[in-house]
Amino acid sequence: MRKSYRVKKEADFQLVFDQHHSVANKMFIVYTMEREQPTHFRLGISISKKVGLRGHERVWVKRRIRQSVLEFKPNLRQDVDILVIARPSAHDQDMAIIKKNLEHVFKLANLFVDQDEK
Protein backbone atom coordinates (compact mmCIF):
# COMPACT_ATOMS: atom_id res chain seq x y z
CA MET A 1 0.00 0.00 0.00
CA ARG A 2 1.45 3.35 -0.99
CA LYS A 3 2.29 5.90 1.67
CA SER A 4 -0.41 8.26 0.42
CA TYR A 5 -2.96 5.63 1.51
CA ARG A 6 -1.73 5.63 5.12
CA VAL A 7 -2.56 7.66 8.19
CA LYS A 8 0.86 7.98 9.82
CA LYS A 9 1.07 11.21 11.83
CA GLU A 10 -0.03 11.32 15.45
CA ALA A 11 -2.01 14.50 14.73
CA ASP A 12 -4.00 12.73 11.99
CA PHE A 13 -4.74 9.79 14.29
CA GLN A 14 -5.89 12.17 17.01
CA LEU A 15 -8.11 14.09 14.58
CA VAL A 16 -9.89 10.88 13.57
CA PHE A 17 -10.29 9.87 17.22
CA ASP A 18 -11.74 13.27 18.12
CA GLN A 19 -14.19 13.50 15.19
CA HIS A 20 -14.96 9.84 14.85
CA HIS A 21 -17.69 7.43 14.17
CA SER A 22 -16.75 4.03 15.61
CA VAL A 23 -18.00 0.48 15.30
CA ALA A 24 -16.59 -2.74 16.67
CA ASN A 25 -16.81 -6.50 16.66
CA LYS A 26 -14.92 -9.14 18.62
CA MET A 27 -11.61 -8.62 16.74
CA PHE A 28 -11.50 -5.00 15.57
CA ILE A 29 -12.54 -1.47 16.39
CA VAL A 30 -12.88 0.80 13.36
CA TYR A 31 -12.92 4.59 13.56
CA THR A 32 -13.95 6.55 10.47
CA MET A 33 -13.91 10.22 9.55
CA GLU A 34 -15.08 11.79 6.31
CA ARG A 35 -12.58 14.05 4.57
CA GLU A 36 -13.11 17.19 2.52
CA GLN A 37 -10.61 16.37 -0.26
CA PRO A 38 -11.54 12.80 -1.15
CA THR A 39 -8.87 11.68 -3.61
CA HIS A 40 -8.72 8.25 -1.97
CA PHE A 41 -9.21 6.64 1.43
CA ARG A 42 -6.42 6.52 4.02
CA LEU A 43 -5.82 3.67 6.45
CA GLY A 44 -4.21 3.68 9.88
CA ILE A 45 -3.57 0.49 11.84
CA SER A 46 -2.85 0.31 15.55
CA ILE A 47 -1.91 -2.88 17.36
CA SER A 48 -1.11 -2.81 21.08
CA LYS A 49 1.15 -5.12 23.02
CA LYS A 50 -1.95 -6.86 24.36
CA VAL A 51 -2.33 -8.41 20.91
CA GLY A 52 1.20 -9.81 20.92
CA LEU A 53 4.16 -9.08 23.16
CA ARG A 54 6.69 -9.74 20.44
CA GLY A 55 7.01 -7.28 17.59
CA HIS A 56 6.89 -9.89 14.87
CA GLU A 57 3.49 -11.08 16.15
CA ARG A 58 2.06 -7.58 15.86
CA VAL A 59 3.56 -7.14 12.38
CA TRP A 60 2.00 -10.48 11.37
CA VAL A 61 -1.47 -9.20 12.30
CA LYS A 62 -0.81 -5.81 10.71
CA ARG A 63 0.20 -7.35 7.39
CA ARG A 64 -2.93 -9.46 7.25
CA ILE A 65 -5.13 -6.44 7.99
CA ARG A 66 -3.39 -4.42 5.29
CA GLN A 67 -3.72 -7.25 2.75
CA SER A 68 -7.43 -7.64 3.51
CA VAL A 69 -8.00 -3.92 3.02
CA LEU A 70 -6.13 -4.06 -0.29
CA GLU A 71 -8.50 -6.78 -1.45
CA PHE A 72 -11.48 -4.61 -0.42
CA LYS A 73 -9.98 -1.50 -2.07
CA PRO A 74 -12.15 -1.41 -5.25
CA ASN A 75 -15.32 -1.51 -3.13
CA LEU A 76 -14.34 0.97 -0.40
CA ARG A 77 -15.53 4.56 -0.13
CA GLN A 78 -12.80 7.00 -1.13
CA ASP A 79 -13.78 9.97 1.06
CA VAL A 80 -12.81 8.60 4.48
CA ASP A 81 -9.94 8.09 6.85
CA ILE A 82 -10.11 4.63 8.45
CA LEU A 83 -8.40 3.57 11.67
CA VAL A 84 -8.34 -0.14 12.50
CA ILE A 85 -7.50 -1.13 16.07
CA ALA A 86 -6.89 -4.83 16.61
CA ARG A 87 -8.16 -6.53 19.73
CA PRO A 88 -6.26 -9.39 21.41
CA SER A 89 -8.54 -12.01 19.83
CA ALA A 90 -7.00 -11.20 16.41
CA HIS A 91 -3.63 -12.63 17.47
CA ASP A 92 -3.80 -16.32 16.53
CA GLN A 93 -6.28 -16.12 13.65
CA ASP A 94 -5.59 -17.09 10.07
CA MET A 95 -6.07 -14.82 7.06
CA ALA A 96 -9.60 -15.99 6.21
CA ILE A 97 -10.96 -15.26 9.70
CA ILE A 98 -9.27 -11.86 9.87
CA LYS A 99 -10.67 -10.94 6.45
CA LYS A 100 -14.17 -12.12 7.39
CA ASN A 101 -14.20 -10.10 10.63
CA LEU A 102 -12.74 -7.04 8.94
CA GLU A 103 -15.40 -7.24 6.22
CA HIS A 104 -18.09 -7.51 8.92
CA VAL A 105 -16.90 -4.44 10.80
CA PHE A 106 -16.48 -2.46 7.54
CA LYS A 107 -20.10 -3.27 6.66
CA LEU A 108 -21.17 -2.04 10.10
CA ALA A 109 -19.24 1.18 9.47
CA ASN A 110 -20.89 1.54 6.05
CA LEU A 111 -17.54 1.75 4.26
CA PHE A 112 -18.46 -0.25 1.17
CA VAL A 113 -19.78 1.51 -1.92
CA ASP A 114 -23.02 0.12 -3.32
CA GLN A 115 -22.75 -1.37 -6.80
CA ASP A 116 -25.44 1.11 -7.97
CA GLU A 117 -23.30 4.11 -6.96
CA LYS A 118 -20.28 2.95 -8.97
Side-chain angles (χ1 to χ4, degrees):
M1 189 176 290
R2 291 185 295 180
K3 286 188 180 185
S4 63
Y5 281 86
R6 297 184 192 167
V7 177
K8 292 294 274 184
K9 296 179 183 176
E10 179 63 31
D12 291 340
F13 267 89
Q14 201 57 47
L15 186 63
V16 176
F17 282 131
D18 291 343
Q19 302 175 6
H20 75 280
H21 173 308
S22 67
V23 293
N25 65 6
K26 63 182 179 179
M27 279 194 201
F28 302 107
I29 304 169
V30 172
Y31 292 89
T32 59
M33 181 185 79
E34 292 187 13
R35 294 190 309 150
E36 296 173 7
Q37 296 103 10
T39 55
H40 52 77
F41 71 90
R42 295 190 312 164
L43 175 70
I45 301 172
S46 177
I47 301 184
S48 74
K49 287 187 178 181
K50 291 179 183 178
V51 175
L53 285 177
R54 297 184 181 108
H56 69 275
E57 295 169 344
R58 295 190 301 275
V59 169
W60 184 90
V61 174
K62 197 174 207 178
R63 285 181 179 177
R64 277 147 182 80
I65 292 169
R66 196 176 295 126
Q67 182 60 37
S68 296
V69 172
L70 276 174
E71 292 175 15
F72 297 147
K73 182 179 174 181
N75 300 325
L76 285 176
R77 291 176 41 201
Q78 300 298 312
D79 62 341
V80 293
D81 282 349
I82 305 166
L83 298 183
V84 177
I85 308 221
R87 290 184 164 170
S89 61
H91 175 259
D92 284 330
Q93 304 301 325
D94 62 358
M95 182 68 181
I97 294 173
I98 287 177
K99 185 175 178 182
K100 179 182 159 194
N101 279 283
L102 202 56
E103 182 178 13
H104 173 256
V105 77
F106 277 15
K107 283 180 182 176
L108 291 176
N110 202 18
L111 290 176
F112 289 114
V113 176
D114 293 335
Q115 296 298 328
D116 301 337
E117 294 177 15
K118 283 186 173 180

